[in-house]
Amino acid sequence: MVGFLQKTCLVIVLSTAVEFILGKPVNNAKLNPKLENYLRRYGYLQPAEKVFPQWRVSWDQDLSPSVKSEQEMEDAIRKLQRVANLPITGKITDVEAVKIINKKRCGMKDFQTGKRTKRFTLDGTSWHSKHLTYRIQDFSSDLSREDIESTIERALQMWSNASQLTFTQVTAPGVKVDVNIKFVTGFHGDRYPTDGPGKELAHAFVPLNNTGLAGDVHFDDDETFAINGGNGVDLLWLAVHELGHSLGLDHTYYPDSVMFPYYTGYRPHLQLGGDDVDGIQHIYGSPNRTTATPSFTSPSPPISPASIPHICSIQRIDAAVKTKNRNTYVFSGAYFWKLHKSGATKAMSIKENWVGLEDNIDAALTRRKTGMTYFFKGSKYWIFSATAAVQGPLNITQLNLPDELKTMDAAMELPRAEDHAYFFKGDKYWRYSWSTASVDQGYPQIITSLWKGLPNDIDAAFQWKRGRIVILNGGGYYLLKHKGKIGVKKGFPKTFFSHWLGCSVTNIREH
């Protein structure tokens, strides 16, 4: 296409009536112009010579004269059968053809100029940087803004976890980003109007020269979108697939791959296939650490009010963390509380609100650089974006953390030290480098060797306003100095339950 960006993907459900000779194998293009056009549209036959694709009224408009030979058609059908996982015979019945043509699928060609390896396929273009920014410009009314943002973030995280790519959401207006994501209808400025419910679900653009519409994703807002198995088009699967094209991947033969051309619908435990991982790593390299795929579980049954503990009755806080949405939570047993200026909310179930996370966690921290929250329990850890599960459970060995840190006491990052995390257990602490994915040499060290005034066996740590670090131990809390040498500020410890949770001495005794 001259003068325009190549459109990479249209997910289509064909509703056009297809005329076939009933009961007979179909491999004669003269009898089946719809099949011939379908094969041309998706790259199985040579493209049209007379009608440019961007000028077609519809995808199945007659593009060119019939195929030159029956052998050419038979070869095209063989390739189609391979992609569709049918017996490769070179002949196709009317029933099989209608079924294929009416499948929901991506509109990008299955065979084009991209580099096809034995397995994955590359578009041939890529991003010049491995650190990409994105913006969700328009939202759908089918889902809440938070659900859409967390779903897009999950989709990007899947590609990030399998490669060296990172993604940062930008919300400030006027700031240029790499990937723009929109929910659109009708004509929306890219010469590829949506077509209403039931046909095109979305389209995307390959990286090309990294400018203009490169990498953008447009979802057809005339569709009904859903998450977690709801009634509608699964947004997570569709987002992962389209973003794969945005990053430079084409279709693959393998049905377990997200880049398989046909829409596969909702998968409870969606993950990249080996083909997807090979392709993205071929372009952008392997990750600095090994990752596993997300795991999501169903919410637990409602809790009986009589069994819900009061915040002032808990004996020990397991963990505390401030998430990317600036909410601060404390965890104990099977429950958590959100802190606010005048105390804390009522107890809420961890399993019902942090779907996929287990009770009785050991520690938690939020990375300043990515906004991802890490929860630790025993030898396992989970990654969340605010309260939305991204990955887990994984083993801490995938972070190259030593076995000695199983059942750790606390974890945190310090202000202005985005590359390092600190893990505590007993009287020791470990300094961990995110960039090298390993514990720094010379660690562990004794807590008091650096953290003057801090006790051993701390319970939790979290970052509060203006970068202040709060350390919890028993019923007390310590505030770290944020200027000069690392240590505890004068006048601490103070009582955490009374100063932070609004518990008086009477409250604590009564509960």
Side-chain angles (χ1 to χ4, degrees), residues 20-26 92-95:
F20 292 104
I21 304 301
L22 295 178
K24 295 183 180 180
V26 174
I92 188 168
T93 66
D94 57 316
V95 174

Side-chain angles (χ1 to χ4, degrees), residues 3 115 149 204 278 283 408 472:
K115 180 182 179 183
E149 287 184 332
D278 289 345
I283 305 174
M408 66 180 68
L472 306 182

Side-chain angles (χ1 to χ4, degrees), residues 62-186:
D62 193 13
L63 301 184
S64 66
S66 298
V67 290
K68 296 179 180 179
S69 69
E70 188 171 315
Q71 185 61 47
E72 184 181 354
M73 188 65 167
E74 185 171 320
D75 291 342
I77 291 174
R78 286 179 182 275
K79 291 194 290 185
L80 176 65
Q81 289 170 326
R82 180 182 179 188
V83 172
N85 285 304
L86 295 173
I88 302 174
T89 64
K91 299 182 185 297
I92 188 168
T93 66
D94 57 316
V95 174
E96 292 171 335
V98 170
K99 185 176 181 180
I100 292 174
I101 289 176
N102 284 287
K103 276 187 176 182
K104 298 180 180 180
R105 59 152 295 148
C106 175
M108 185 176 180
K109 290 184 177 181
D110 300 332
F111 294 90
Q112 53 185 352
T113 57
K115 180 182 179 183
R116 177 171 293 277
T117 68
K118 185 177 179 181
R119 301 190 65 202
F120 58 87
T121 312
L122 308 178
D123 160 70
T125 65
S126 63
W127 290 97
H128 303 156
S129 171
K130 295 179 182 179
H131 308 291
L132 304 178
T133 56
Y134 72 97
R135 176 187 287 112
I136 305 175
Q137 290 185 312
D138 298 292
F139 291 79
S140 172
S141 60
D142 297 333
L143 300 168
S144 70
R145 186 186 185 101
E146 182 181 20
D147 283 341
I148 292 171
E149 287 184 332
S150 64
T151 300
I152 297 299
E153 192 166 28
R154 284 188 194 178
L156 289 167
Q157 192 68 42
M158 290 174 68
W159 291 116
S160 178
N161 289 337
S163 67
Q164 294 178 19
L165 289 167
T166 65
F167 301 94
T168 302
Q169 184 178 3
V170 174
T171 58
V175 179
K176 186 178 180 181
V177 298
D178 299 306
V179 177
N180 286 289
I181 300 169
K182 298 180 181 180
F183 288 80
V184 299
T185 58

Side-chain angles (χ1 to χ4, degrees), residues 206-387:
V206 297
L208 287 181
N209 59 359
N210 292 196
T211 61
L213 292 173
D216 288 2
V217 175
H218 297 166
F219 297 105
D220 183 353
D221 202 21
D222 285 325
E223 307 297 336
T224 299
F225 294 100
I227 58 173
N228 300 327
N231 186 22
V233 176
D234 183 58
L235 182 59
L236 180 59
W237 184 94
L238 192 59
V240 176
H241 181 97
E242 301 300 332
L243 289 164
H245 290 310
S246 297
L247 298 174
L249 293 178
D250 277 349
H251 289 150
T252 176
Y253 294 126
Y254 296 86
D256 64 341
S257 167
V258 172
M259 298 312 297
F260 188 62
Y262 297 104
Y263 172 67
T264 58
Y266 172 65
R267 298 183 193 176
H269 304 286
L270 181 64
Q271 58 183 316
L272 298 181
D275 200 40
D276 306 313
V277 174
D278 289 345
I280 202 69
Q281 291 182 358
H282 184 88
I283 305 174
Y284 301 105
S286 300
N288 293 325
R289 59 183 176 84
T290 305
T291 59
T293 52
S295 175
F296 305 100
T297 59
S298 302
S300 57
I303 304 169
S304 169
S307 65
I308 299 176
H310 191 280
I311 186 67
C312 299
S313 70
I314 61 177
Q315 300 297 312
R316 181 180 183 274
I317 291 175
D318 295 332
V321 70
K322 182 179 181 181
T323 58
K324 62 181 291 185
N325 57 9
R326 299 186 178 180
N327 290 329
T328 302
Y329 305 93
V330 294
F331 298 78
S332 181
Y335 304 94
F336 75 99
W337 295 257
K338 184 167 75 172
L339 300 186
H340 51 74
K341 291 182 179 179
S342 58
T345 61
K346 292 182 179 180
M348 293 173 278
S349 165
I350 292 174
K351 288 184 176 179
E352 286 186 355
N353 294 273
W354 304 76
V355 178
L357 187 61
E358 296 180 2
D359 300 335
N360 302 297
I361 63 174
D362 296 326
L365 68 83
T366 296
R367 286 200 62 187
R368 292 169 60 86
K369 186 174 182 179
T370 66
M372 295 293 109
T373 299
Y374 289 66
F375 291 94
F376 300 86
K377 177 183 177 180
S379 61
K380 296 180 288 187
Y381 76 98
W382 294 257
I383 303 174
F384 275 69
S385 174
T387 58

